[in-house]
Amino acid sequence: MSTTPSASSTVAGIYARLGALALFATLDALVKWLGDAYDPFQMMLFRSTVALVPLYFLYRAEGGIRLIRSTRPMLQFLRILSGFGSLFGFFYLLPRMPLVDLYAISYAAPLFMVALAAAILGEQVGWRRWSAVGVGFVGVLIMLEPWTISIHWLSLAVLLATFSYSVSTVLTRLISRYDHDAATIFWFCLFASLVSLAGAIPNWKWPSPADWFWLCSLGLIGGVGQILVTRALRLAPASTLAPFDYSSIALAVLFGYLWFREEPSPAVWFGLPLVIGSGLYILYRERVRARKARQASRAAVAAHVRH
């Protein structure tokens, strides 16, 4: 199986990643809102079990149950552990920290991912990608002013959850070389559901009719988002996708203000152009690469026909 994605598949991967980020930002806001009433394990149980519904409908026509077979079970296990560490960390921390503060620390993820992708996946990370990550990170620093955040154990826990997320992302990209997306998502959801069920039983709270809808929404949103992000990592290098994680800050600011009355600072409007610009620049470069690749392919076909 080829491990070098085409330029056009990379562009498709970027769009899939952006869709996943929008869904995950919505998921984070829901977790923060529901976290006052429900234990993290109970929310994770809904997130993991209901997520299997879109997985079933998406993949049943492509081969059904046979798609969940894994040829790299140890890699899947490592990905499950890192993914579960990230899931529990953020579900526990989101109700306990301001949304913008948590996002400020979690934006170390693209830096982790670019470094891990180079070390684990052997991806070639050029100066343009490093520059995009750096510019985006500077924009986040300007917007979120992390020097004003008190460094305490919650902040360190966010950093650890962020590192777990980065490891999980890079391992997902590695596993995509061997296993179908359905296998990666299914085994993670199954493991997370079983562990979450055990953790949820002691503090279980029976949901109200309205909360049944919102808790099930965690699973549907998370399931579709997980499908998109897994597909994105099959289509594009992790180091290329990393700068786009910064774009979710726009939704974080919007949700923080409209939903939780968290007022963004004036610095947001200075840093936002850098954040958006870094992602758009990478997207532009990949579109240029895709266009050049198509032109080169047509030229090669024309030359073959002439001869």
Side-chain angles (χ1 to χ4, degrees), residues 44-301:
M44 289 165 58
L45 177 62
F46 279 90
R47 158 67 178 88
S48 302
T49 54
V50 180
L52 292 171
V53 175
L55 178 70
Y56 169 76
F57 283 105
L58 181 65
Y59 292 124
R60 67 174 180 174
E62 295 185 22
I65 193 70
R66 68 179 180 83
L67 298 179
I68 70 171
R69 289 198 298 266
S70 174
T71 61
R72 296 295 190 277
M74 185 53 66
L75 278 179
Q76 288 285 4
F77 181 67
L78 293 174
R79 191 266 164 186
I80 287 169
L81 289 181
S82 58
F84 187 80
S86 171
L87 182 68
F88 175 76
F90 284 112
F91 270 58
Y92 178 83
L93 293 163
L94 277 164
R96 292 167 173 80
M97 291 184 67
L99 193 61
V100 176
D101 286 10
L102 185 143
Y103 268 65
I105 301 170
S106 71
Y107 277 116
L111 297 179
F112 288 146
M113 280 191 283
V114 169
L116 289 168
I120 296 175
L121 303 178
E123 292 183 2
Q124 298 297 315
V125 182
W127 66 269
R128 288 186 176 88
R129 291 184 194 172
W130 280 115
S131 298
V133 170
V135 170
F137 190 64
V138 168
V140 170
L141 290 179
I142 292 173
M143 286 193 295
L144 302 177
E145 302 173 290
W147 48 85
T148 66
I149 301 173
S150 300
I151 302 300
H152 47 71
W153 75 269
L154 286 177
S155 300
L156 296 177
V158 175
L159 193 63
L160 180 60
T162 298
F163 182 75
S164 295
Y165 165 75
S166 304
V167 173
S168 174
T169 299
V170 173
L171 288 177
T172 299
R173 170 70 177 166
L174 179 60
I175 291 168
S176 72
R177 299 174 180 176
Y178 311 106
D179 292 349
H180 196 277
D181 296 351
T184 301
I185 299 171
F186 173 80
W187 291 113
F188 172 77
C189 288
L190 179 63
F191 177 89
S193 296
L194 293 174
V195 175
S196 298
L197 176 61
I201 290 174
N203 298 309
W204 180 268
K205 176 181 177 182
W206 198 256
S208 67
D211 284 354
W212 273 103
F213 171 80
W214 294 116
L215 287 166
C216 289
S217 294
L218 292 179
L220 292 175
I221 294 171
V224 175
Q226 197 168 358
I227 290 169
L228 285 175
V229 78
T230 305
R231 184 59 55 90
L233 288 163
R234 178 180 294 276
L235 293 170
S239 55
T240 298
L241 296 174
F244 291 91
D245 279 16
Y246 292 128
S247 64
S248 60
I249 188 59
L251 281 176
V253 172
L254 183 65
F255 286 144
Y257 178 72
L258 295 179
W259 205 330
F260 305 106
R261 299 306 181 200
E262 296 173 352
E263 193 79 30
S265 70
V268 166
W269 312 118
F270 292 101
L272 194 59
L274 294 177
V275 175
I276 296 175
S278 66
L280 290 177
Y281 175 74
I282 291 293
L283 178 59
Y284 166 75
R285 289 292 309 171
E286 295 301 333
R287 289 178 68 88
V288 169
R289 286 184 61 240
R291 185 171 64 251
K292 289 182 177 179
R294 289 194 297 268
Q295 291 173 347
S297 177
R298 286 195 293 265
V301 170

Side-chain angles (χ1 to χ4, degrees), residues 16-30:
R17 182 71 167 192
L18 289 173
L21 289 171
L23 290 174
F24 285 143
T26 305
L27 177 69
D28 288 345
L30 275 174

